[in-house]
Amino acid sequence: MTKSVEYFFSIGSPWSYIGFDVFAELAAKNDVVITPYLTTVVEENGGIFSRNRPEIRRAYWTRDLKRWARVRGKELRLEHRPDLSDPTPASLFVIAAYLDGQDWIGVARALQHAFWSEARDIGKPDVREAIVTSAGFDGATLLRRQADDDVQNKWSADRVHARDSGVFGFPTYVYDGEIYWGQDNLPFLERHLRGDKP
C-alpha cells in the first residue's frame, strides 16, 4: 500500500541537504509518496536560525555537520564561503517543478549541491537557471514560473502549513500524524513506515 509523507525542508538548510538522498532512497524503497513543503525556519514554533545561536553552539553545529556529511558521503563547503545572497528564492524553482509534475527531487538536489558543496550563489536568478539547465532541466521555464501565482501561493501556504503542523526546523518528516525532526531521525521514520508506530 502506498504511504504518504509530508516533507518539510529548506534549500538553505545544510541538514536538509545532508539527508536528502537518504530520504529519497528510503521513500522509494518503502513505496512512499512525498509531498514537499518548502519554507524557512519557523521561529513562531521555536526554530532558531544558526546565525542567531551562541558561538559555542554554532561551533558544535559546524563540527556535527561535518561528521554527518562524512557519514552521508556529502561534501560541505562551510569555511571560506564567499558572500552569497539569500538562497530562499531557489525554493520557487522546486515548487514550480513539483506543481508541473516534473522531477522536483532532481531540481532540489542540483540546487542544494551547488549551494552547499560548491558555494554557488543560487539566490541569483541567472545562476540557478544555469545550474538546473546544466542538470538537464528547463531552467528558462522554471525561472519564468517562479513569479506565477500558483507557485507564489504554494510558497506562502507551505509556511502556514509548516507552522500549523508543529514544524520548527529542517528537515522534518510527518507520517501518520507523527513528526520526525532531523535527518538523524530517518531510521525511526522507516520503522514507522514498516509498522512500528511509536
Side-chain angles (χ1 to χ4, degrees):
M1 183 179 69
T2 300
K3 308 171 187 73
S4 179
V5 171
E6 293 187 326
Y7 175 46
F8 299 85
F9 73 110
S10 168
I11 297 293
S13 160
W15 294 112
S16 293
Y17 173 52
I18 288 172
F20 193 79
D21 290 335
V22 177
F23 174 53
E25 292 165 9
L26 181 156
K29 186 170 61 175
N30 290 278
D31 196 25
V32 167
V33 172
I34 304 170
T35 303
Y37 296 93
L38 289 99
T39 185
T40 59
V41 171
V42 186
E43 294 179 287
E44 307 97 295
N45 289 347
I48 303 172
F49 284 97
S50 61
R51 63 178 175 268
N52 296 330
R53 294 172 182 159
E55 185 54 41
I56 195 164
R57 186 172 174 192
R58 280 180 53 81
Y60 181 83
W61 177 81
T62 299
R63 290 176 63 86
D64 207 31
L65 274 171
K66 290 178 178 179
R67 286 192 287 256
W68 272 107
R70 287 176 62 105
V71 168
R72 298 299 194 204
K74 299 278 188 173
E75 181 180 346
L76 285 181
R77 184 173 169 188
L78 296 175
E79 285 91 14
H80 311 298
R81 288 172 67 87
D83 288 332
L84 303 176
S85 53
D86 182 3
T88 301
S91 300
L92 301 174
F93 271 37
V94 181
I95 290 172
Y98 172 72
L99 291 175
D100 292 345
Q102 303 300 315
D103 178 16
W104 65 269
I105 290 177
V107 172
R109 181 180 288 123
L111 291 168
Q112 287 180 317
H113 176 79
F115 187 71
W116 288 110
S117 291
E118 300 173 347
R120 295 179 65 184
D121 198 347
I122 63 173
K124 294 181 177 178
D126 58 325
V127 173
R128 60 180 176 270
E129 179 185 1
I131 289 166
V132 298
T133 298
S134 66
F137 302 101
D138 187 347
T141 295
L142 292 175
L143 180 62
R144 185 175 63 253
R145 284 278 287 127
Q146 68 180 6
D148 290 346
D149 287 346
D150 60 337
V151 174
Q152 292 291 326
N153 290 341
K154 177 167 169 51
W155 169 248
S156 298
D158 281 4
R159 178 167 187 80
V160 173
H161 185 54
R163 182 199 66 203
D164 294 348
S165 297
V167 173
F168 47 88
F170 307 110
T172 294
Y173 320 90
V174 178
Y175 174 64
D176 192 24
E178 193 75 22
I179 294 177
Y180 298 91
W181 170 49
Q183 59 87 37
D184 54 330
N185 266 263
L186 284 171
F188 298 120
L189 171 61
E190 185 160 33
R191 288 176 65 94
H192 189 169
L193 289 166
R194 294 181 175 180
D196 183 15
K197 183 174 181 176

